[in-house]
Amino acid sequence: MVRDGLIPEGSFWGTINCDGINTNGDICGVTTTSGLAWKIPGRVGDSPILGAGLYVDNDVGAAGSTGRGEANLYNLSSYLIVESMRRGMSPKDAGMEALKRIRANTVERRLLNARGNPNFNIRFFVLNKRGETAGVAMYHAGETRYAICNENGAQALELEPLLEGTPE
Ligand code: ASP
């Protein structure tokens, strides 16, 4: 369909995580399930699995993800991020903790690049009970920005990467 010009090259995927907090400090979150294009039939992905592509705890915060969903299914990354914030970490440090966990647990050769690091990207969007946010990624590559909107209006911010370079 891309080759035939029926859909734009950059639009055959479209997972989105969106987290919010209201003036009472109540938190919500959603991760869409658009997921990988041309999925293996029956593949669910990480978006609808609580703790993987999304986790919300109204006492602590919310985290969600885009990128290689299997990494979140193996590591329950969104749950890990929220639990890390419960133990006192900032949104950014908690997101980095999940990226480090994924890096450490990615051991299959087919998933590693020549540097021995994950050959895929993954991103986390994190919000805590105080309304502080972070956007982190394994690599600053591909989709490199995330959006926040608060009393100062809407802004696009750069995702902070754990690793230098690109997945390849
Ligand atoms: N996380 C999604 C999935 O693995 C893919 C994506 O974020 O584009 O289904």
Side-chain angles (χ1 to χ4, degrees):
M1 292 173 78
V2 171
R3 199 174 49 230
D4 293 347
L6 296 171
I7 52 174
E9 193 172 346
S11 300
F12 60 90
W13 66 83
T15 301
I16 293 169
N17 165 245
C18 182
D19 307 309
I21 183 166
N22 69 11
T23 50
N24 295 326
D26 289 323
I27 295 167
C28 63
V30 64
T31 301
T32 65
T33 58
S34 169
L36 294 177
W38 328 127
K39 293 181 192 199
I40 298 166
R43 180 186 184 272
V44 174
D46 59 319
S47 304
I49 307 299
L50 289 177
L54 174 70
Y55 197 70
V56 180
D57 185 317
N58 201 33
D59 290 337
V60 181
S65 179
T66 64
R68 190 171 190 278
E70 282 73 8
N72 289 332
L73 290 161
Y74 283 131
N75 293 285
L76 281 185
S77 317
S78 297
Y79 179 73
L80 174 64
I81 291 170
V82 172
E83 290 306 301
S84 297
M85 291 196 292
R86 192 193 305 277
R87 294 197 313 274
M89 277 192 192
S90 69
K92 180 185 165 186
D93 288 350
M96 287 294 177
E97 182 79 2
L99 292 168
K100 287 177 192 162
R101 181 75 58 89
I102 290 170
R103 182 190 188 193
N105 286 343
T106 302
V107 293
E108 287 176 72
R109 283 182 60 157
R110 69 186 174 91
L111 298 175
L112 297 173
N113 61 26
R115 300 183 301 279
N117 288 321
N119 62 11
F120 55 85
N121 209 353
I122 193 152
R123 301 165 209 86
F124 294 108
F125 313 97
V126 192
L127 169 72
N128 72 10
K129 191 74 177 167
R130 289 196 293 275
E132 298 161 338
T133 61
V136 299
M138 191 66 82
Y139 299 97
H140 192 257
E143 293 157 30
T144 57
R145 298 200 294 174
Y146 69 108
I148 65 164
C149 188
N150 56 25
E151 63 275 16
N152 302 317
Q155 279 178 278
L157 303 176
E158 296 297 321
L159 290 161
E160 299 192 53
L162 176 68
L163 302 175
E164 295 292 315
T166 64
E168 300 78 33

